[in-house]
Amino acid sequence: MKLPDLEAWAVFASVVEHRSFSAAAQAIGVNKATVSKAIARLEARLGQSLFHRTSRRLALTEAGKPLAEHARRLLADAHAAEEAARDGAQSPGGRIRVAAPLGFGIANVAPLLARFLAEHPRVEIDLQLSDVRIDIVAEGVDVALRIADLPDSSLRARRLGDIRTHLVAAPDYLAAYGTPSHPFELARHRLLTYSNTPGSWRFHSGSGEEASIHPHGPLAANSGEALVPSLLAGLGIARLPGFIIGPHLRSGALVELLPDWPAPAIGLHLLTPPGRLRPARVEALIAFLGEHLRDPCEGA
C-alpha cells in the first residue's frame, strides 16, 4: 500500500490558510518552488486540480474545497500529536485561541482565564469576544463558547450548563405603558430585541401552557449590552440573560415580568474543531472551563 504524501497535504493546508503560495512558503520556512512542487504532486496523485490560479488570485476549486478541511484536520492532528509528546515531559505551553460572546466573555470568561494563566504560566491565550457567530475552523479557533441551540455539525460540542433569560423593563416604562400579565399582551408593547437570535419569544407556564410571540419594537441590536441603556431609560421591554441584567434586577432599576412564564433555558456549549487529537494546553483549558462554568452565574 502506497503511503499518503503527508508533506504535500500539510503544504496544501498551509496554502489554504495563507491564501498564497508565497505566504505559505514563508510561513513554513521553504521556498515557493517547494510549495509549488508539493501541490503539483498532490494534484497528480488525486487526479484533479485543487486551485484556480491567476496572476492576482488564488481560489480553491470545487474539488479542492472539501479536501481543504481534510488537510486542516491532518495538520492539526499532527501538531497535536507532537505537542502531546513534548507536553508529556513538561507543563502545557503554547497559544490557545478562544472565542466567546462579548458580554458573557467579559463577565464570566475573562476572570477564569486570568486564573488559568496563573496556573499555566507557559500558556498564551488570544481571546476573541464577539456576538457574531464565526466559523471556528476557518478562523483557527481552538475553543469557542456559544450560547445557543446548536444545529448538527462536525464540530465537537459539550454542553456546560444552562443560561436563563429574563423578561425585564424599567419601573418608568411600566408606569407609562402598564404591566403585561400574559405573553400575548406583549404584542401591544414596545419590545427591544437581540437581532443575533431572530424569531419568536417562547414561554411556558407552570401549568404546561405554551405561548409565543414575534417581537418587534423601536430597537434591535446584535449586542445584548446595547439594549440596556434603552431599557433603563424606560423605552421598552427586553428579554436578556442574567449575566447582562442581573445587577440592574438586584438594584431595582429593572423589574422582572411574567415570572410564572419563564423562557426555556439556552444551552451554554463549549465547541472545538473536529478531530480526536488536541494539544495538552487545549485539553487543560477545556477541563478548567468545564469545571468552572457548569453553573455559570445566578440567573444566567
Side-chain angles (χ1 to χ4, degrees):
M1 178 180 177
K2 191 175 181 181
L3 293 175
D5 190 342
L6 296 178
E7 181 187 44
W9 279 103
V11 171
F12 175 46
S14 184
V15 173
V16 172
E17 178 183 359
H18 296 285
R19 300 176 184 177
S20 84
F21 282 27
S22 298
Q26 184 175 5
I28 59 181
V30 299
N31 58 46
K32 184 179 176 181
T34 300
V35 170
S36 297
K37 290 176 182 178
I39 297 300
R41 288 200 315 271
L42 189 58
E43 289 179 327
R45 186 167 183 139
L46 297 173
Q48 51 196 336
S49 296
L50 298 173
F51 295 102
H52 294 298
R53 302 170 178 86
T54 69
S55 59
R56 296 184 178 181
R57 188 169 177 266
L58 183 71
L60 285 165
T61 63
E62 288 303 311
K65 289 176 182 177
L67 294 175
E69 176 58 26
H70 289 294
R72 288 192 192 101
R73 292 186 195 180
L74 284 170
L75 187 57
D77 284 349
H79 282 310
E82 290 183 351
E83 290 170 0
R86 289 196 300 267
D87 290 338
Q90 57 186 340
S91 62
R95 180 175 291 270
I96 309 174
R97 190 171 174 87
V98 180
L102 178 61
F104 185 79
I106 293 172
N108 294 79
V109 180
L112 289 178
L113 293 182
R115 293 170 54 185
F116 181 81
L117 289 171
E119 295 177 12
H120 299 83
R122 297 182 59 248
V123 170
E124 300 174 359
I125 291 179
D126 178 4
L127 177 61
Q128 302 294 314
L129 298 178
S130 173
D131 288 334
V132 176
R133 185 172 297 187
I134 63 171
D135 181 336
I136 71 171
V137 174
E139 297 293 332
V141 170
D142 299 297
V143 177
L145 293 164
R146 190 166 290 170
I147 302 171
D149 295 323
L150 297 181
D152 292 335
S153 75
S154 62
L155 300 177
R156 299 173 66 178
R158 173 183 173 186
R159 189 179 181 117
L160 300 181
D162 291 332
I163 301 294
R164 288 186 54 215
T165 59
H166 305 262
L167 190 73
V168 296
D172 287 348
Y173 175 86
L174 300 176
Y177 295 94
T179 302
S181 59
H182 191 282
F184 290 146
E185 295 179 13
L186 293 172
R188 301 194 297 269
H189 282 268
R190 297 164 59 84
L191 306 181
L192 313 179
T193 57
Y194 180 48
S195 57
N196 273 14
T197 55
S200 300
W201 285 0
R202 294 181 293 124
F203 301 87
H204 298 270
S205 72
S207 62
E209 186 181 355
E210 297 184 3
S212 66
I213 65 158
H214 294 281
H216 65 277
L219 177 63
N222 65 356
S223 166
E225 289 81 359
L227 301 178
V228 173
S230 294
L231 271 175
L232 296 175
L235 299 181
I237 296 173
R239 192 167 76 175
L240 292 171
F243 61 82
I244 293 178
I245 46 83
H248 303 297
L249 280 174
R250 290 189 287 272
S251 71
L254 294 176
V255 176
E256 184 164 12
L257 308 176
L258 303 177
D260 295 330
W261 290 85
I266 307 172
L268 169 64
H269 295 88
L270 187 150
L271 306 178
T272 57
R276 289 175 294 176
L277 292 175
R278 290 185 294 222
R281 63 182 182 275
V282 175
E283 292 285 6
L285 180 60
I286 289 171
F288 184 86
L289 293 177
E291 177 184 357
H292 294 287
L293 288 176
R294 284 179 296 182
D295 183 18
C297 58
E298 187 280 327

